[in-house]
Amino acid sequence: MNKTAIRIGAGLGALLIALPAMAQDLTFWSWRQEDRAQYEQFIDTFEAANPGITVTFETFEAANYNTILSTALAGGTGPDLMMVRAYGGMENVASAGYLEPLSSETIPALADFAPTALAAETMRSDQTLYAVPFASQTQLVIYNKGIFDANGIAEPQTWDELLAASQKLKDAGLMPFANGTATAWQNETIVFDLTASIMGKGFYDDLIAGKADFTDARFVEALTALKDITQYFPDGFIGLDYPSAQQLFSSGMAAMFAGGSYELATFATQNPDLELGVFAAPGKTAEDEKLVGLYYDGGYAANANGANKEAALKFLNFVASQEFGQAFANSLNNISTIPGVTFDNPLLAEVAELNKSSIPYLMLVHFRYGEPSGSVLLQAEVQKLLADQTSPEAAGKAITDGLAAWYEPFKK
């Protein structure tokens, strides 16, 4: 080989060594349209630490997201990265083999996550984890501190105190609660916002152990209490949709909103002058444990058939990191699932404290794995209950009978 050829070969070798790795372009799908600005900031942080990897964030309408995602994955045009629902909402895409299995070997930080958080993104049939869980949500009561203070009302410690506070507000010409139930899923949330403490942990434990069903006296008592407290909802609340109910509260026209921790950022945006408080709706006595309803909201997953799987796993390691969890909590005002995250927002810190006494948000966590789902059944029965078309006892029986179509412990 002549010297010229040697010099050219050496030069090309040096050039190849100096070149960066091939660029890897990832697509990331989500239903969180309202969080686009924050996610683009998260992605900027990731890309700065991972030269050569770019992430394009795309959002879709929340109600149709599952259908859009599963259709794209089935057709081979799905994203490299995606948000997936938790519990039964994840299983349709996981069971079809579209999601990359995860473990603490590929995502070491997962070893420190709470088992209940990981369970939300784990396929029941094979106990395989498919997503990094991203947030917990809490069902509770949000209240306007200014209205409470002006009317000499403290956070109620018993159910009777909650009723008395509501009556005092009504007598003062104020709306005690802003809630409406025209939006179907609100018929479900108000059950756990307001009556988790009345159901109690004992009912939950017995239900999951197969020792109780929804005809149980503790669940019937919870529905009875729910029916009673709706006398303090707005006039015509059955025809009041979710956005309108939110506006009633954020405008200062109502003192309380039975809702989720996910409402806090919305209310702060709608009315920055609101001073908000939160509490767990109490049980019958002051000694009853005050419980909130808790669930995990979704997770980050990778496409099992993606072309850039190594880069996708790097991103999943990023979103499992404490650095990301802290940024998530600070910018989205949400409870990150990542261990060690602290909360600059004192209201969020209070929610995290309330989470220490909780029961799972039942229908989502345990009864969305078959048809008819527990959510569909509960929403329909509560709607009928509040319209005086059924009784708490009959509602409990209808829910139990409906679930018996697929839930083995309820089959006779």
Side-chain angles (χ1 to χ4, degrees):
M1 183 180 293
N2 62 40
K3 291 182 180 179
T4 301
I6 292 172
R7 283 196 299 271
I8 292 172
L12 286 172
L15 179 61
L16 289 171
I17 292 169
L19 283 173
M22 290 290 289
Q24 299 179 80
D25 298 324
L26 302 176
T27 51
F28 176 24
W29 285 14
S30 168
W31 67 82
R32 298 290 301 174
Q33 295 174 320
E34 61 271 46
D35 296 340
R36 172 176 286 279
Q38 291 86 350
Y39 271 95
E40 288 178 345
Q41 289 177 358
F42 301 152
I43 288 167
D44 286 345
T45 300
F46 171 77
E47 290 177 343
N50 293 274
I53 302 177
T54 62
V55 181
T56 301
F57 186 63
E58 298 180 35
T59 60
F60 300 86
E61 199 273 322
N64 297 317
Y65 177 78
N66 278 16
T67 301
I68 294 168
L69 178 64
S70 59
T71 301
L73 290 170
T77 60
D80 300 283
L81 297 156
M82 67 212 82
M83 283 189 188
V84 292
R85 309 286 191 183
Y87 311 107
M90 179 202 71
E91 293 212 348
N92 65 323
V93 287
S95 62
Y98 299 138
L99 305 184
E100 179 71 10
L102 305 179
S103 70
S104 57
E105 292 182 4
T106 52
I107 316 288
L110 290 173
D112 297 322
F113 276 58
T116 51
L118 297 178
E121 302 299 337
T122 296
M123 186 80 169
R124 293 175 309 152
S125 59
D126 62 8
Q127 290 300 298
T128 299
L129 178 71
Y130 287 102
V132 177
F134 64 72
S136 68
Q137 302 294 353
T138 307
Q139 299 302 138
L140 37 58
V141 179
I142 303 166
Y143 70 97
N144 184 319
K145 283 190 172 183
I147 293 177
F148 266 44
D149 290 347
N151 290 273
I153 297 172
E155 292 182 9
Q157 302 303 306
T158 68
W159 187 255
D160 284 345
E161 287 183 14
L162 178 58
L163 294 176
S166 299
Q167 186 62 52
K168 186 173 184 178
L169 291 163
K170 191 172 184 177
D171 291 343
L174 298 165
M175 289 184 195
F177 285 92
N179 296 82
T181 57
T183 304
W185 60 271
Q186 288 288 284
N187 289 280
E188 180 177 358
T189 58
I190 57 173
V191 175
F192 297 94
D193 298 328
L194 293 167
T195 70
S197 301
I198 293 175
M199 289 182 214
K201 282 186 176 177
F203 167 67
Y204 169 75
D205 292 340
D206 288 347
L207 182 73
I208 300 309
K211 298 177 182 177
D213 58 29
F214 291 100
T215 65
D216 188 276
R218 291 164 291 188
F219 184 74
V220 170
E221 183 180 23
L223 291 188
T224 302
L226 177 70
K227 170 74 170 169
D228 190 24
I229 204 165
T230 57
Q231 67 183 292
Y232 299 112
F233 283 18
D235 291 342
F237 70 89
I238 289 175
L240 182 67
D241 66 14
Y242 178 56
S244 300
Q246 284 187 312
Q247 285 293 333
L248 282 179
F249 180 77
S250 64
S251 66
M253 294 177 67
M256 291 177 280
F257 191 91
S261 52
Y262 46 84
E263 320 273 7
L264 296 173
T266 301
F267 290 145
T269 300
Q270 291 177 341
N271 185 352
D273 295 329
L274 276 182
E275 187 180 2
L276 301 175
V278 293
F279 63 85
K284 289 293 186 178
T285 72
E287 289 70 37
D288 292 339
E289 186 177 10
K290 295 178 181 63
L291 302 172
V292 293
L294 182 68
Y295 66 95
Y296 294 92
D297 200 12
Y300 305 113
N303 190 333
N305 303 307
N308 296 307
K309 201 177 297 184
E310 182 181 347
L313 288 174
K314 282 186 179 180
F315 187 82
L316 292 187
N317 273 282
F318 167 68
V319 296
S321 69
Q322 189 172 348
E323 173 194 14
F324 173 79
Q326 194 62 61
F328 179 95
N330 290 347
S331 63
L332 291 174
N333 282 315
N334 224 317
I335 304 288
S336 169
T337 57
I338 297 172
V341 170
T342 57
F343 302 102
D344 295 343
N345 182 334
L347 199 57
L348 212 58
E350 191 174 347
V351 173
E353 189 65 27
L354 289 175
N355 285 347
K356 294 177 181 178
S357 296
S358 65
I359 59 172
Y361 185 54
L362 270 174
M363 297 312 190
L364 171 60
V365 176
H366 293 289
F367 297 102
R368 279 200 198 169
Y369 296 94
E371 296 295 339
S373 74
S375 290
V376 166
L377 292 165
L378 179 62
Q379 289 169 24
E381 291 304 313
V382 168
Q383 190 173 50
K384 288 194 290 185
L385 176 69
L386 302 183
D388 296 320
Q389 295 171 358
T390 192
S391 67
E393 293 81 3
K397 184 178 187 304
I399 293 167
T400 302
D401 291 347
L403 289 170
W406 61 270
Y407 185 63
E408 198 65 36
F410 289 176
K411 292 182 179 180
K412 301 299 187 219

